[in-house]
Amino acid sequence: MIPKLYSIFKLRCPKCLKGQFFESSVYDLKKLGNVLDECPNCKVNYIPEPGFYFGAMYISYALGVGVFVAIWAGANWFFEEVSVWVQISILTFLIIVLSPLIFALSKIIYANIFIHFDKKTSERMAEDD
């Protein structure tokens, strides 16, 4: 479980935990969500078939709902009277700002479901360095 969390939070290769997963920064809007074809370190194929990351939209939806529920619950629990319009404004702003991050996280989480950490590959790559 720890290698998968490391891969997700650091946006690293699910197999070796060393190589980059995305072509550029999460907030580089010109290359938004572009995944490399393969790991620059261990050469695992990040795109095993055409349309592979379509399933990531379900994870993106779940993350978006999680953000919505967290903001809504936080606004209602920590502040006595928050108008609906203030909540909608905060949610709209945060969803727009967090959309590239949610998009990237959904892809790396989806990849981690199908590409598994290989300790031998990770150790072999560390020896080669």
Side-chain angles (χ1 to χ4, degrees):
M1 181 58 130
I2 298 299
K4 292 201 179 290
L5 291 176
Y6 182 85
S7 170
I8 291 167
F9 289 122
K10 294 288 188 172
L11 303 176
R12 298 289 180 185
C13 172
K15 187 166 187 167
C16 71
L17 303 179
K18 302 226 182 318
Q20 292 288 350
F21 188 76
F22 292 102
E23 287 183 9
S24 63
S25 167
V26 172
Y27 284 97
D28 181 2
L29 298 181
K30 289 184 180 180
K31 297 181 179 181
L32 181 66
N34 288 357
V35 175
L36 293 170
D37 291 333
E38 65 180 19
C39 175
N41 193 40
C42 69
K43 306 299 183 207
V44 68
N45 186 7
Y46 288 152
I47 307 171
E49 62 186 38
F52 177 71
Y53 289 102
F54 283 140
M57 71 180 151
Y58 297 106
I59 295 171
S60 179
Y61 177 76
L63 292 172
V65 168
V67 168
F68 173 83
V69 169
I71 299 303
W72 177 80
N76 286 315
W77 285 338
F78 296 117
F79 303 105
E80 287 189 24
E81 291 188 28
V82 178
S83 76
V84 172
W85 293 110
V86 170
Q87 289 179 18
I88 290 172
S89 300
I90 292 170
L91 283 166
T92 302
F93 174 75
L94 284 176
I95 289 295
I96 290 171
V97 169
L98 293 176
S99 286
L101 181 61
I102 290 172
F103 186 57
L105 285 175
S106 67
K107 283 188 170 186
I108 190 79
I109 290 169
Y110 193 73
N112 269 279
I113 292 171
F114 295 101
I115 303 171
H116 302 290
F117 175 68
D118 185 7
K119 189 173 183 178
K120 292 176 186 174
T121 301
S122 181
E123 288 172 354
R124 188 177 68 239
M125 293 299 148
E127 288 174 3
D128 291 343
D129 288 339

